[in-house]
Amino acid sequence: HARELQAGHAAGPGVVANQSFQLARALVASGGDRARAAQLAADARAELARYPFEKSRLAELEAWQATH
């Protein structure tokens, strides 16, 4: 639902990546689709890697991926 709300609105750099990361975390925490969570996290990682100012968020995501 969050993605539907975002569609059609301009988002700043990293916003969609952060949203994807949060959705991935929520899926895993709720026992949801782990494959979908992994894909969301991978997509978020690819986007965050494009922005030097997102290094700390990227490190957080990579640490989370390593444990989930």
Side-chain angles (χ1 to χ4, degrees):
H1 183 67
R3 294 240 171 168
E4 291 173 12
L5 292 173
Q6 181 65 39
H9 297 284
V15 170
V16 174
N18 285 311
Q19 185 182 64
S20 294
F21 181 30
Q22 293 303 319
L23 289 170
R25 291 173 59 170
L27 275 172
V28 170
S30 68
D33 185 346
R34 292 186 74 83
R36 174 114 169 90
Q39 184 60 57
L40 285 165
D43 293 347
R45 187 192 181 291
E47 183 179 348
L48 289 173
R50 295 175 36 208
Y51 304 109
F53 57 85
E54 289 285 8
K55 284 186 182 190
S56 64
R57 191 67 169 157
L58 179 60
E60 179 185 354
L61 183 144
E62 289 172 339
W64 180 84
Q65 284 180 306
T67 60
H68 293 87

